[in-house]
């Protein structure tokens, strides 16, 4: 672990050079400890794949003293975080042909049938590595190497809200309609953004995420939308 000054009121904590579930767990454990132990000084805290950026109130504390207190806090973080359990999030997903817009491309690239791709994807438990790109967009890893596939060379102009996608060794859900270049394999009927929620989204750093396969009838009953007009438009763009 290494702490470096970014500017006069921000520091960055490096936990590792490698993105792993263990590093994600360390970061997830450290964030609430920093927030609780240094709350009178912390202005903002931004976790990422292997690091945490912390901004503090320069009026209440100087850079040197804050860094020292942060080092002391982190040295105790493991003992404190043992009492905290990683949150588990289970999301329903419809992998039907109407919403799996890139099924053919994924099968061609991996050499698997789409049923095999679904089984591999849905049987893995993922970690939240980072949250960004768009509000509520969580980067989840790692996908099984058998379904590893690069991003699309030409991103879609519109990806429907709730679309579940894969790219490289990660998977993610688009919370809102937006441009995007990940390969789409399904869709969840669950809304991932709630402006009444303190953290805006169901995701939080280090949480464990699983996907449960549901059929079309269940997807529609839960409020899922197939968006045939958007599907047609996107296939033309792709």
């Amino acid at each position: 672990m290494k702490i470096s000054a970014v500017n006069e009121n921000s520091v960055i904590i490096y936990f590792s050079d490698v993105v792993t579930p263990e590093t994600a767990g360390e970061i997830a454990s450290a964030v609430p400890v920093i927030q609780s132990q240094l709350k009178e000084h912390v202005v903002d805290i931004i976790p990422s794949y292997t690091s945490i950026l912390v901004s503090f109130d320069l009026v209440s504390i100087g850079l040197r003293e804050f860094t020292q207190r942060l080092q002391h806090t982190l040295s105790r973080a493991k003992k404190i975080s043992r009492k905290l359990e990683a949150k588990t999030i289970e999301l329903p997903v419809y992998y039907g042909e109407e919403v799996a817009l890139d099924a053919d491309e994924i099968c061609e690239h991996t050499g698997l049938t789409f049923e095999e791709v679904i089984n591999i994807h849905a049987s893995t438990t993922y970690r939240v590595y980072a949250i960004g790109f768009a509000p509520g967009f969580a980067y989840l890893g790692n996908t099984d190497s058998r379904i590893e596939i690069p991003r699309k060379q030409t991103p879609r102009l519109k990806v429907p809200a709730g679309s579940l996608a894969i790219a490289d060794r990660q998977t993610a859900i688009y919370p809102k309609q937006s441009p995007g270049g990940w390969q789409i394999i399904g869709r969840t009927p669950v809304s991932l953004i709630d402006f009444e929620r303190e953290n805006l989204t169901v995701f939080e750093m280090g949480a464990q995420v699983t996907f449960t396969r549901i059929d079309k009838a269940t997807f529609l009953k839960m409020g899922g939308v197939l968006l045939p007009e958007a599907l047609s438009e996107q296939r033309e763009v792709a």
Side-chain angles (χ1 to χ4, degrees):
M1 184 185 303
K2 177 183 177 184
I3 302 176
S4 299
V6 176
N7 52 41
E8 61 182 4
N9 69 328
S10 298
V11 298
I12 187 166
I13 312 163
Y14 294 104
F15 289 80
S16 173
D17 295 327
V18 183
V19 179
T20 66
E22 291 74 23
T23 301
E26 281 190 69
I27 293 173
S29 297
V31 168
V33 175
I34 297 170
Q35 288 173 326
S36 63
Q37 300 297 305
L38 298 173
K39 59 183 178 183
E40 71 272 30
H41 303 301
V42 170
V43 174
D44 195 14
I45 180 165
I46 304 174
S48 188
Y49 288 93
T50 60
S51 64
I52 301 175
L53 177 67
V54 185
S55 297
F56 58 92
D57 180 7
L58 195 58
V59 175
S60 67
I61 192 170
L63 174 61
R64 184 173 180 178
E65 183 181 356
F66 182 79
T67 302
Q68 291 174 339
R69 291 193 58 180
L70 185 59
Q71 287 174 326
H72 178 69
T73 297
L74 292 172
S75 68
R76 300 172 56 234
K78 289 186 178 180
K79 293 181 181 178
I80 298 173
S81 64
R82 283 174 187 164
K83 300 177 182 177
L84 304 175
E85 294 184 2
K87 180 180 179 181
T88 298
I89 303 163
E90 183 178 335
L91 293 172
V93 172
Y94 176 49
Y95 291 93
E97 61 180 4
E98 305 97 326
V99 295
L101 308 183
D102 296 312
D104 292 342
E105 188 170 344
I106 293 168
C107 291
E108 182 178 353
H109 181 83
T110 62
L112 301 170
T113 65
F114 195 57
E115 188 66 23
E116 290 172 326
V117 172
I118 294 171
N119 289 334
I120 292 170
H121 185 271
S123 63
T124 303
T125 298
Y126 303 94
R127 278 271 195 176
V128 178
Y129 281 158
I131 300 174
F133 167 64
F137 187 99
Y139 295 84
L140 312 175
N142 291 335
T143 57
D144 190 291
S145 60
R146 289 173 292 175
I147 60 173
E148 181 176 354
I149 183 171
R151 290 171 172 78
K152 304 179 77 65
Q153 291 187 347
T154 303
R156 285 189 168 83
L157 297 179
K158 296 180 181 178
V159 176
S163 291
L164 174 64
I166 56 177
D168 301 322
R169 294 290 304 280
Q170 297 185 85
T171 187
I173 296 176
Y174 288 84
K176 295 290 185 182
Q177 177 176 288
S178 65
W182 292 39
Q183 311 284 352
I184 300 171
I185 62 172
R187 191 175 299 168
T188 181
V190 176
S191 176
L192 301 177
I193 294 291
D194 181 356
F195 288 95
E196 300 299 321
R197 187 188 299 272
E198 182 179 356
N199 295 326
L200 187 65
T201 177
V202 299
F203 297 115
E204 59 184 53
M205 283 291 300
Q208 295 183 324
V209 181
T210 61
F211 297 108
T212 301
R213 185 177 184 177
I214 58 175
D215 59 21
K216 183 176 179 179
T218 304
F219 174 74
L220 295 175
K221 187 177 180 181
M222 294 180 70
V225 179
L226 298 176
L227 296 172
E229 66 285 358
L231 173 65
S232 173
E233 178 183 348
Q234 287 160 28
R235 280 182 169 162
E236 290 177 1
V237 172

